PDB file of all heavy atoms in Angstrom:
ATOM      1  N   ILE A 197     155.188 117.734 141.064  1.00 90.00           N
ATOM      2  CA  ILE A 197     154.079 116.843 140.721  1.00 90.00           C
ATOM      3  C   ILE A 197     153.795 116.819 139.219  1.00 90.00           C
ATOM      4  O   ILE A 197     153.694 115.734 138.620  1.00 90.00           O
ATOM      5  CB  ILE A 197     152.818 117.237 141.518  1.00 90.00           C
ATOM      6  CG1 ILE A 197     153.039 116.977 143.013  1.00 90.00           C
ATOM      7  CG2 ILE A 197     151.595 116.460 141.027  1.00 90.00           C
ATOM      8  CD1 ILE A 197     151.877 117.387 143.889  1.00 90.00           C
ATOM      9  N   PRO A 198     153.665 117.969 138.525  1.00 89.00           N
ATOM     10  CA  PRO A 198     153.381 117.891 137.076  1.00 89.00           C
ATOM     11  C   PRO A 198     154.467 117.166 136.298  1.00 89.00           C
ATOM     12  O   PRO A 198     154.166 116.348 135.416  1.00 89.00           O
ATOM     13  CB  PRO A 198     153.281 119.368 136.665  1.00 89.00           C
ATOM     14  CG  PRO A 198     152.936 120.092 137.908  1.00 89.00           C
ATOM     15  CD  PRO A 198     153.656 119.368 138.995  1.00 89.00           C
ATOM     16  N   ALA A 199     155.733 117.455 136.610  1.00 83.00           N
ATOM     17  CA  ALA A 199     156.827 116.810 135.882  1.00 83.00           C
ATOM     18  C   ALA A 199     156.855 115.308 136.140  1.00 83.00           C
ATOM     19  O   ALA A 199     157.068 114.514 135.210  1.00 83.00           O
ATOM     20  CB  ALA A 199     158.158 117.438 136.283  1.00 83.00           C
ATOM     21  N   VAL A 200     156.632 114.901 137.391  1.00 85.00           N
ATOM     22  CA  VAL A 200     156.642 113.468 137.710  1.00 85.00           C
ATOM     23  C   VAL A 200     155.507 112.751 137.001  1.00 85.00           C
ATOM     24  O   VAL A 200     155.682 111.642 136.461  1.00 85.00           O
ATOM     25  CB  VAL A 200     156.547 113.274 139.232  1.00 85.00           C
ATOM     26  CG1 VAL A 200     156.317 111.812 139.573  1.00 85.00           C
ATOM     27  CG2 VAL A 200     157.821 113.758 139.906  1.00 85.00           C
ATOM     28  N   LEU A 201     154.333 113.354 136.966  1.00 86.00           N
ATOM     29  CA  LEU A 201     153.200 112.734 136.283  1.00 86.00           C
ATOM     30  C   LEU A 201     153.479 112.575 134.786  1.00 86.00           C
ATOM     31  O   LEU A 201     153.179 111.532 134.190  1.00 86.00           O
ATOM     32  CB  LEU A 201     151.936 113.570 136.498  1.00 86.00           C
ATOM     33  CG  LEU A 201     151.384 113.601 137.926  1.00 86.00           C
ATOM     34  CD1 LEU A 201     150.158 114.506 138.000  1.00 86.00           C
ATOM     35  CD2 LEU A 201     151.038 112.197 138.404  1.00 86.00           C
ATOM     36  N   LEU A 202     154.066 113.586 134.174  1.00 83.00           N
ATOM     37  CA  LEU A 202     154.394 113.495 132.750  1.00 83.00           C
ATOM     38  C   LEU A 202     155.452 112.427 132.495  1.00 83.00           C
ATOM     39  O   LEU A 202     155.357 111.661 131.530  1.00 83.00           O
ATOM     40  CB  LEU A 202     154.876 114.853 132.238  1.00 83.00           C
ATOM     41  CG  LEU A 202     153.803 115.928 132.056  1.00 83.00           C
ATOM     42  CD1 LEU A 202     154.450 117.247 131.679  1.00 83.00           C
ATOM     43  CD2 LEU A 202     152.792 115.517 131.001  1.00 83.00           C
ATOM     44  N   LEU A 203     156.458 112.382 133.356  1.00 79.00           N
ATOM     45  CA  LEU A 203     157.524 111.395 133.173  1.00 79.00           C
ATOM     46  C   LEU A 203     157.002 109.973 133.341  1.00 79.00           C
ATOM     47  O   LEU A 203     157.382 109.067 132.595  1.00 79.00           O
ATOM     48  CB  LEU A 203     158.654 111.670 134.161  1.00 79.00           C
ATOM     49  CG  LEU A 203     159.439 112.965 133.938  1.00 79.00           C
ATOM     50  CD1 LEU A 203     160.428 113.184 135.066  1.00 79.00           C
ATOM     51  CD2 LEU A 203     160.167 112.928 132.603  1.00 79.00           C
ATOM     52  N   LEU A 204     156.129 109.756 134.312  1.00 81.00           N
ATOM     53  CA  LEU A 204     155.564 108.427 134.505  1.00 81.00           C
ATOM     54  C   LEU A 204     154.632 108.044 133.363  1.00 81.00           C
ATOM     55  O   LEU A 204     154.543 106.874 132.972  1.00 81.00           O
ATOM     56  CB  LEU A 204     154.802 108.367 135.836  1.00 81.00           C
ATOM     57  CG  LEU A 204     155.647 108.485 137.109  1.00 81.00           C
ATOM     58  CD1 LEU A 204     154.746 108.487 138.337  1.00 81.00           C
ATOM     59  CD2 LEU A 204     156.661 107.357 137.198  1.00 81.00           C
ATOM     60  N   PHE A 205     153.952 109.035 132.805  1.00 76.00           N
ATOM     61  CA  PHE A 205     152.986 108.763 131.748  1.00 76.00           C
ATOM     62  C   PHE A 205     153.662 108.356 130.441  1.00 76.00           C
ATOM     63  O   PHE A 205     153.145 107.514 129.708  1.00 76.00           O
ATOM     64  CB  PHE A 205     152.113 110.003 131.522  1.00 76.00           C
ATOM     65  CG  PHE A 205     151.119 109.841 130.410  1.00 76.00           C
ATOM     66  CD1 PHE A 205     149.998 109.030 130.563  1.00 76.00           C
ATOM     67  CD2 PHE A 205     151.300 110.504 129.204  1.00 76.00           C
ATOM     68  CE1 PHE A 205     149.082 108.880 129.533  1.00 76.00           C
ATOM     69  CE2 PHE A 205     150.389 110.356 128.174  1.00 76.00           C
ATOM     70  CZ  PHE A 205     149.272 109.544 128.329  1.00 76.00           C
ATOM     71  N   ALA A 206     154.800 108.936 130.143  1.00 71.00           N
ATOM     72  CA  ALA A 206     155.409 108.679 128.831  1.00 71.00           C
ATOM     73  C   ALA A 206     156.918 108.493 128.934  1.00 71.00           C
ATOM     74  O   ALA A 206     157.670 108.974 128.100  1.00 71.00           O
ATOM     75  CB  ALA A 206     155.083 109.818 127.877  1.00 71.00           C
ATOM     76  N   GLN A 207     157.377 107.777 129.961  1.00 71.00           N
ATOM     77  CA  GLN A 207     158.812 107.597 130.120  1.00 71.00           C
ATOM     78  C   GLN A 207     159.414 106.758 128.997  1.00 71.00           C
ATOM     79  O   GLN A 207     160.554 106.980 128.586  1.00 71.00           O
ATOM     80  CB  GLN A 207     159.118 106.973 131.473  1.00 71.00           C
ATOM     81  CG  GLN A 207     158.449 105.621 131.705  1.00 71.00           C
ATOM     82  CD  GLN A 207     158.797 105.044 133.070  1.00 71.00           C
ATOM     83  OE1 GLN A 207     159.736 105.482 133.704  1.00 71.00           O
ATOM     84  NE2 GLN A 207     158.014 104.073 133.512  1.00 71.00           N
ATOM     85  N   ARG A 208     158.648 105.806 128.460  1.00 68.00           N
ATOM     86  CA  ARG A 208     159.193 104.996 127.376  1.00 68.00           C
ATOM     87  C   ARG A 208     159.405 105.836 126.123  1.00 68.00           C
ATOM     88  O   ARG A 208     160.324 105.579 125.338  1.00 68.00           O
ATOM     89  CB  ARG A 208     158.273 103.821 127.073  1.00 68.00           C
ATOM     90  CG  ARG A 208     156.884 104.178 126.603  1.00 68.00           C
ATOM     91  CD  ARG A 208     156.008 102.946 126.501  1.00 68.00           C
ATOM     92  NE  ARG A 208     154.668 103.249 125.993  1.00 68.00           N
ATOM     93  CZ  ARG A 208     154.354 103.215 124.716  1.00 68.00           C
ATOM     94  NH1 ARG A 208     155.274 102.889 123.824  1.00 68.00           N
ATOM     95  NH2 ARG A 208     153.124 103.493 124.319  1.00 68.00           N
ATOM     96  N   HIS A 209     158.560 106.859 125.924  1.00 65.00           N
ATOM     97  CA  HIS A 209     158.761 107.742 124.783  1.00 65.00           C
ATOM     98  C   HIS A 209     160.013 108.590 124.960  1.00 65.00           C
ATOM     99  O   HIS A 209     160.712 108.889 123.990  1.00 65.00           O
ATOM    100  CB  HIS A 209     157.545 108.642 124.600  1.00 65.00           C
ATOM    101  CG  HIS A 209     156.308 107.905 124.183  1.00 65.00           C
ATOM    102  ND1 HIS A 209     156.278 107.050 123.105  1.00 65.00           N
ATOM    103  CD2 HIS A 209     155.055 107.878 124.708  1.00 65.00           C
ATOM    104  CE1 HIS A 209     155.064 106.545 122.973  1.00 65.00           C
ATOM    105  NE2 HIS A 209     154.304 107.028 123.946  1.00 65.00           N
ATOM    106  N   ILE A 210     160.301 108.988 126.202  1.00 64.00           N
ATOM    107  CA  ILE A 210     161.504 109.774 126.460  1.00 64.00           C
ATOM    108  C   ILE A 210     162.742 108.944 126.159  1.00 64.00           C
ATOM    109  O   ILE A 210     163.688 109.409 125.513  1.00 64.00           O
ATOM    110  CB  ILE A 210     161.524 110.267 127.923  1.00 64.00           C
ATOM    111  CG1 ILE A 210     160.375 111.232 128.167  1.00 64.00           C
ATOM    112  CG2 ILE A 210     162.848 110.934 128.244  1.00 64.00           C
ATOM    113  CD1 ILE A 210     160.333 111.761 129.565  1.00 64.00           C
ATOM    114  N   VAL A 211     162.759 107.694 126.623  1.00 64.00           N
ATOM    115  CA  VAL A 211     163.907 106.823 126.359  1.00 64.00           C
ATOM    116  C   VAL A 211     164.095 106.631 124.858  1.00 64.00           C
ATOM    117  O   VAL A 211     165.213 106.704 124.331  1.00 64.00           O
ATOM    118  CB  VAL A 211     163.734 105.478 127.071  1.00 64.00           C
ATOM    119  CG1 VAL A 211     164.855 104.520 126.696  1.00 64.00           C
ATOM    120  CG2 VAL A 211     163.684 105.675 128.579  1.00 64.00           C
ATOM    121  N   LYS A 212     162.993 106.401 124.158  1.00 61.00           N
ATOM    122  CA  LYS A 212     163.081 106.222 122.707  1.00 61.00           C
ATOM    123  C   LYS A 212     163.556 107.494 122.032  1.00 61.00           C
ATOM    124  O   LYS A 212     164.350 107.458 121.087  1.00 61.00           O
ATOM    125  CB  LYS A 212     161.722 105.806 122.149  1.00 61.00           C
ATOM    126  CG  LYS A 212     161.735 105.524 120.659  1.00 61.00           C
ATOM    127  CD  LYS A 212     160.382 105.042 120.168  1.00 61.00           C
ATOM    128  CE  LYS A 212     160.427 104.757 118.670  1.00 61.00           C
ATOM    129  NZ  LYS A 212     159.102 104.297 118.160  1.00 61.00           N
ATOM    130  N   GLY A 213     163.087 108.631 122.510  1.00 56.00           N
ATOM    131  CA  GLY A 213     163.502 109.888 121.907  1.00 56.00           C
ATOM    132  C   GLY A 213     164.967 110.204 122.126  1.00 56.00           C
ATOM    133  O   GLY A 213     165.643 110.741 121.250  1.00 56.00           O
ATOM    134  N   LEU A 214     165.479 109.849 123.307  1.00 57.00           N
ATOM    135  CA  LEU A 214     166.879 110.135 123.607  1.00 57.00           C
ATOM    136  C   LEU A 214     167.823 109.145 122.943  1.00 57.00           C
ATOM    137  O   LEU A 214     168.985 109.466 122.691  1.00 57.00           O
ATOM    138  CB  LEU A 214     167.096 110.119 125.122  1.00 57.00           C
ATOM    139  CG  LEU A 214     166.405 111.228 125.905  1.00 57.00           C
ATOM    140  CD1 LEU A 214     166.666 111.055 127.395  1.00 57.00           C
ATOM    141  CD2 LEU A 214     166.874 112.597 125.445  1.00 57.00           C
ATOM    142  N   THR A 215     167.349 107.926 122.660  1.00 60.00           N
ATOM    143  CA  THR A 215     168.217 106.917 122.067  1.00 60.00           C
ATOM    144  C   THR A 215     168.019 106.780 120.567  1.00 60.00           C
ATOM    145  O   THR A 215     168.768 106.051 119.922  1.00 60.00           O
ATOM    146  CB  THR A 215     167.962 105.549 122.720  1.00 60.00           C
ATOM    147  OG1 THR A 215     166.582 105.193 122.556  1.00 60.00           O
ATOM    148  CG2 THR A 215     168.303 105.581 124.196  1.00 60.00           C
ATOM    149  N   ALA A 216     167.034 107.448 120.014  1.00 56.00           N
ATOM    150  CA  ALA A 216     166.789 107.344 118.573  1.00 56.00           C
ATOM    151  C   ALA A 216     167.974 107.916 117.815  1.00 56.00           C
ATOM    152  O   ALA A 216     168.516 108.965 118.160  1.00 56.00           O
ATOM    153  CB  ALA A 216     165.512 108.098 118.195  1.00 56.00           C
ATOM    154  N   GLY A 217     168.386 107.206 116.776  1.00 50.00           N
ATOM    155  CA  GLY A 217     169.489 107.674 115.961  1.00 50.00           C
ATOM    156  C   GLY A 217     170.852 107.293 116.468  1.00 50.00           C
ATOM    157  O   GLY A 217     171.863 107.642 115.854  1.00 50.00           O
ATOM    158  N   THR A 218     170.928 106.568 117.597  1.00 49.00           N
ATOM    159  CA  THR A 218     172.240 106.175 118.100  1.00 49.00           C
ATOM    160  C   THR A 218     172.854 105.069 117.266  1.00 49.00           C
ATOM    161  O   THR A 218     174.068 104.893 117.259  1.00 49.00           O
ATOM    162  CB  THR A 218     172.119 105.701 119.557  1.00 49.00           C
ATOM    163  OG1 THR A 218     171.136 104.657 119.628  1.00 49.00           O
ATOM    164  CG2 THR A 218     171.694 106.851 120.452  1.00 49.00           C
ATOM    165  N   VAL A 219     172.018 104.268 116.586  1.00 47.00           N
ATOM    166  CA  VAL A 219     172.502 103.230 115.677  1.00 47.00           C
ATOM    167  C   VAL A 219     172.377 103.766 114.258  1.00 47.00           C
ATOM    168  O   VAL A 219     171.277 103.977 113.757  1.00 47.00           O
ATOM    169  CB  VAL A 219     171.695 101.933 115.829  1.00 47.00           C
ATOM    170  CG1 VAL A 219     172.214 100.876 114.850  1.00 47.00           C
ATOM    171  CG2 VAL A 219     171.799 101.420 117.259  1.00 47.00           C
ATOM    172  N   VAL A 220     173.478 104.018 113.630  1.00 43.00           N
ATOM    173  CA  VAL A 220     173.496 104.647 112.323  1.00 43.00           C
ATOM    174  C   VAL A 220     173.688 103.584 111.261  1.00 43.00           C
ATOM    175  O   VAL A 220     174.542 102.699 111.386  1.00 43.00           O
ATOM    176  CB  VAL A 220     174.631 105.706 112.233  1.00 43.00           C
ATOM    177  CG1 VAL A 220     174.635 106.353 110.851  1.00 43.00           C
ATOM    178  CG2 VAL A 220     174.458 106.738 113.319  1.00 43.00           C
ATOM    179  N   ASN A 221     172.895 103.653 110.207  1.00 45.00           N
ATOM    180  CA  ASN A 221     173.032 102.753 109.074  1.00 45.00           C
ATOM    181  C   ASN A 221     174.153 103.257 108.178  1.00 45.00           C
ATOM    182  O   ASN A 221     174.075 104.354 107.635  1.00 45.00           O
ATOM    183  CB  ASN A 221     171.708 102.695 108.294  1.00 45.00           C
ATOM    184  CG  ASN A 221     171.761 101.673 107.172  1.00 45.00           C
ATOM    185  OD1 ASN A 221     172.798 101.045 106.930  1.00 45.00           O
ATOM    186  ND2 ASN A 221     170.637 101.524 106.486  1.00 45.00           N
ATOM    187  N   PRO A 222     175.244 102.505 107.998  1.00 43.00           N
ATOM    188  CA  PRO A 222     176.360 102.991 107.202  1.00 43.00           C
ATOM    189  C   PRO A 222     175.981 103.270 105.757  1.00 43.00           C
ATOM    190  O   PRO A 222     176.611 104.097 105.092  1.00 43.00           O
ATOM    191  CB  PRO A 222     177.388 101.850 107.292  1.00 43.00           C
ATOM    192  CG  PRO A 222     176.981 101.059 108.494  1.00 43.00           C
ATOM    193  CD  PRO A 222     175.504 101.177 108.578  1.00 43.00           C
ATOM    194  N   ALA A 223     174.972 102.565 105.262  1.00 42.00           N
ATOM    195  CA  ALA A 223     174.588 102.757 103.871  1.00 42.00           C
ATOM    196  C   ALA A 223     173.733 103.996 103.670  1.00 42.00           C
ATOM    197  O   ALA A 223     173.441 104.375 102.542  1.00 42.00           O
ATOM    198  CB  ALA A 223     173.818 101.539 103.364  1.00 42.00           C
ATOM    199  N   ARG A 224     173.357 104.648 104.782  1.00 45.00           N
ATOM    200  CA  ARG A 224     172.481 105.799 104.680  1.00 45.00           C
ATOM    201  C   ARG A 224     173.251 107.066 104.980  1.00 45.00           C
ATOM    202  O   ARG A 224     173.935 107.156 105.989  1.00 45.00           O
ATOM    203  CB  ARG A 224     171.331 105.659 105.692  1.00 45.00           C
ATOM    204  CG  ARG A 224     170.314 106.789 105.594  1.00 45.00           C
ATOM    205  CD  ARG A 224     169.167 106.509 106.532  1.00 45.00           C
ATOM    206  NE  ARG A 224     168.101 107.482 106.342  1.00 45.00           N
ATOM    207  CZ  ARG A 224     166.953 107.410 106.978  1.00 45.00           C
ATOM    208  NH1 ARG A 224     166.719 106.423 107.806  1.00 45.00           N
ATOM    209  NH2 ARG A 224     166.028 108.312 106.760  1.00 45.00           N
ATOM    210  N   PRO A 225     173.196 108.087 104.120  1.00 41.00           N
ATOM    211  CA  PRO A 225     173.911 109.322 104.389  1.00 41.00           C
ATOM    212  C   PRO A 225     173.342 110.048 105.589  1.00 41.00           C
ATOM    213  O   PRO A 225     172.171 109.867 105.940  1.00 41.00           O
ATOM    214  CB  PRO A 225     173.706 110.140 103.104  1.00 41.00           C
ATOM    215  CG  PRO A 225     172.460 109.580 102.491  1.00 41.00           C
ATOM    216  CD  PRO A 225     172.444 108.123 102.862  1.00 41.00           C
ATOM    217  N   ALA A 226     174.177 110.842 106.225  1.00 41.00           N
ATOM    218  CA  ALA A 226     173.730 111.533 107.429  1.00 41.00           C
ATOM    219  C   ALA A 226     172.601 112.499 107.117  1.00 41.00           C
ATOM    220  O   ALA A 226     171.663 112.663 107.905  1.00 41.00           O
ATOM    221  CB  ALA A 226     174.920 112.287 108.056  1.00 41.00           C
ATOM    222  N   PHE A 227     172.682 113.183 106.018  1.00 38.00           N
ATOM    223  CA  PHE A 227     171.640 114.151 105.664  1.00 38.00           C
ATOM    224  C   PHE A 227     171.185 113.829 104.242  1.00 38.00           C
ATOM    225  O   PHE A 227     171.875 114.116 103.265  1.00 38.00           O
ATOM    226  CB  PHE A 227     172.167 115.590 105.758  1.00 38.00           C
ATOM    227  CG  PHE A 227     172.633 115.961 107.114  1.00 38.00           C
ATOM    228  CD1 PHE A 227     173.972 115.926 107.443  1.00 38.00           C
ATOM    229  CD2 PHE A 227     171.714 116.327 108.086  1.00 38.00           C
ATOM    230  CE1 PHE A 227     174.401 116.256 108.711  1.00 38.00           C
ATOM    231  CE2 PHE A 227     172.132 116.663 109.355  1.00 38.00           C
ATOM    232  CZ  PHE A 227     173.476 116.628 109.673  1.00 38.00           C
ATOM    233  N   SER A 228     170.047 113.161 104.119  1.00 40.00           N
ATOM    234  CA  SER A 228     169.569 112.733 102.811  1.00 40.00           C
ATOM    235  C   SER A 228     168.700 113.818 102.211  1.00 40.00           C
ATOM    236  O   SER A 228     168.061 114.598 102.906  1.00 40.00           O
ATOM    237  CB  SER A 228     168.765 111.441 102.952  1.00 40.00           C
ATOM    238  OG  SER A 228     167.674 111.641 103.816  1.00 40.00           O
ATOM    239  N   ARG A 229     168.682 113.846 100.876  1.00 38.00           N
ATOM    240  CA  ARG A 229     167.834 114.766 100.160  1.00 38.00           C
ATOM    241  C   ARG A 229     166.856 113.969  99.313  1.00 38.00           C
ATOM    242  O   ARG A 229     167.201 112.940  98.731  1.00 38.00           O
ATOM    243  CB  ARG A 229     168.647 115.677  99.242  1.00 38.00           C
ATOM    244  CG  ARG A 229     169.503 116.695  99.976  1.00 38.00           C
ATOM    245  CD  ARG A 229     170.172 117.598  98.979  1.00 38.00           C
ATOM    246  NE  ARG A 229     171.086 116.821  98.107  1.00 38.00           N
ATOM    247  CZ  ARG A 229     171.647 117.330  97.014  1.00 38.00           C
ATOM    248  NH1 ARG A 229     171.366 118.551  96.630  1.00 38.00           N
ATOM    249  NH2 ARG A 229     172.473 116.595  96.305  1.00 38.00           N
ATOM    250  N   SER A 230     165.666 114.436  99.269  1.00 36.00           N
ATOM    251  CA  SER A 230     164.666 113.777  98.435  1.00 36.00           C
ATOM    252  C   SER A 230     163.711 114.814  97.892  1.00 36.00           C
ATOM    253  O   SER A 230     163.554 115.894  98.476  1.00 36.00           O
ATOM    254  CB  SER A 230     163.905 112.719  99.216  1.00 36.00           C
ATOM    255  OG  SER A 230     163.302 113.291 100.345  1.00 36.00           O
TER     256      SER A 230
END
């Protein structure tokens, strides 16, 4: 029950978190320093 409630509450955030960074900008270095 707790896990299902959390997943239903913020499933779109999970999808975004798991797919973030899958599209890489070629002009941007993998590890930038600033």
Side-chain angles (χ1 to χ4, degrees):
I197 294 178
V200 170
L201 292 178
L202 286 174
L203 293 174
L204 293 177
F205 178 73
Q207 58 180 344
R208 62 187 182 91
H209 293 308
I210 295 180
V211 175
K212 183 177 180 181
L214 293 178
T215 58
T218 55
V219 179
V220 180
N221 185 357
R224 183 175 187 176
F227 300 99
S228 59
R229 290 184 297 169
S230 57

